Amino acid sequence: MKQLKSFFTFDLPVEYSYIYSRFRKTHEGQRDIYASWPAEATRRHMINEYWSNALWHYSLLVVVAAVAVWFYNGQLNGMFMLVGVTLGIAAYLPLYFILYRPIFTGEFLPKLETVIAAYEGRERAWLEKCKQDQLTNRALVLFFYAFDKASKANFLTPSDKCADLLHKIFGSSPDGIKKALDLIFKKDKRAKLEHRHLVEVSKSFEEAYAILEAMQFEEGIQRLKHLEQQFQRP
């Protein structure tokens, strides 16, 4: 009932919460169909929805006015309906300039742009958090190294084949994985590391240890500790 009242007064289509919920529902619904659906496409959809709401709102006003006139006049014939439709169509143009257009440019569009900015900001923040929570390429390789050695598979080598396999498993950059493999298996690469790079490597070991400790994988931890010793400078 409250929403019907808000729609009748044309408050609902320009409420920020309504615009946000409609934008989110529409955008995420289209994203389920088209993975690359952009926010601009949803923006156009929302604008089209606004004018559809405006048309429905005006139609509601015309119907209410017609019912009120019929109630007091008591006549309902072809001429009455023809005059009513004609007046209804003619009255839309003034309302377009007096009501719908000013609300569209002064309220709806600014709120829609704010909604898009807020939604995209939350998406960026979520993606950034995912990146921060995800292990680095080096830590991923160290994690897999622990399993590789503990299982005695001994598959890992500093090769493009291994880098491609880990890329398929983790979805990380093959180049970054290849560099991490080189660092693990090539002594000359480790010898060239500067102090700041050693600090970064130490952090990667800590990331891998945290996962292995959570899994209580002692064998993997020991294998990783043995590897870490090779990075220590005399």
Side-chain angles (χ1 to χ4, degrees):
M1 186 66 182
K2 185 178 179 181
Q3 280 197 341
L4 181 62
K5 181 181 178 182
S6 296
F7 184 81
F8 186 78
T9 57
F10 209 62
D11 293 330
L12 181 63
V14 292
E15 286 181 0
Y16 180 86
S17 58
Y18 175 80
I19 296 172
Y20 186 89
S21 64
R22 289 296 304 150
F23 179 89
R24 180 177 179 178
K25 183 178 180 180
T26 302
H27 190 67
E28 292 178 357
Q30 292 298 326
R31 276 275 182 89
D32 290 340
I33 303 172
Y34 309 103
S36 58
W37 182 270
E40 178 62 25
T42 307
R43 178 182 182 275
R44 293 176 181 274
H45 190 282
M46 292 294 295
I47 290 173
N48 182 65
E49 186 174 292
Y50 170 87
W51 288 112
S52 294
N53 285 331
L55 185 59
W56 279 108
H57 176 260
Y58 181 72
S59 300
L60 179 63
L61 293 180
V62 170
V63 169
V64 170
V67 170
V69 171
W70 171 76
F71 181 78
Y72 286 105
N73 192 26
Q75 293 183 2
L76 184 62
N77 51 44
M79 181 59 68
F80 174 82
M81 294 180 65
L82 179 62
V83 171
V85 170
T86 303
L87 289 175
I89 294 173
Y92 177 76
L93 194 59
L95 276 180
Y96 171 82
F97 288 105
I98 295 172
L99 180 66
Y100 300 124
R101 187 70 189 181
I103 290 177
F104 175 74
T105 56
E107 291 188 54
F108 179 78
L109 272 185
K111 289 179 181 178
L112 178 58
E113 299 297 344
T114 305
V115 162
I116 294 173
Y119 185 85
E120 290 183 331
R122 290 178 183 178
E123 274 199 330
R124 284 193 296 270
W126 180 78
L127 289 173
E128 188 61 32
K129 186 179 184 303
C130 287
K131 289 180 180 179
Q132 291 174 357
D133 292 342
Q134 186 180 17
L135 294 178
T136 60
N137 287 339
R138 192 184 299 113
L140 288 171
V141 173
L142 291 173
F143 175 74
F144 196 86
Y145 173 90
F147 275 89
D148 183 60
K149 292 301 180 183
S151 65
K152 296 182 172 59
N154 294 321
F155 172 79
L156 285 184
T157 59
S159 64
D160 292 335
K161 179 182 177 182
C162 286
D164 186 58
L165 175 66
L166 294 183
H167 162 66
K168 291 178 180 178
I169 295 173
F170 298 120
S172 300
S173 166
D175 292 337
I177 291 174
K178 181 64 167 57
K179 290 178 181 178
L181 288 171
D182 287 343
L183 200 60
I184 289 174
F185 289 99
K186 295 182 179 180
K187 186 176 180 179
D188 60 319
K189 294 285 185 181
R190 296 196 297 269
K192 294 178 182 178
L193 286 176
E194 298 178 358
H195 176 72
R196 63 185 181 88
H197 291 139
L198 285 172
V199 172
E200 292 174 0
V201 170
S202 178
K203 289 181 179 179
S204 297
F205 271 100
E206 290 176 4
E207 290 179 38
Y209 281 134
I211 301 297
L212 294 171
E213 287 170 0
M215 297 172 62
Q216 298 182 347
F217 187 30
E218 291 299 327
E219 177 68 17
I221 293 172
Q222 294 305 317
R223 295 286 183 171
L224 209 56
K225 285 183 177 179
H226 182 267
L227 174 64
E228 188 177 19
Q229 291 175 359
Q230 300 178 37
F231 283 85
Q232 295 176 357
R233 296 286 173 83

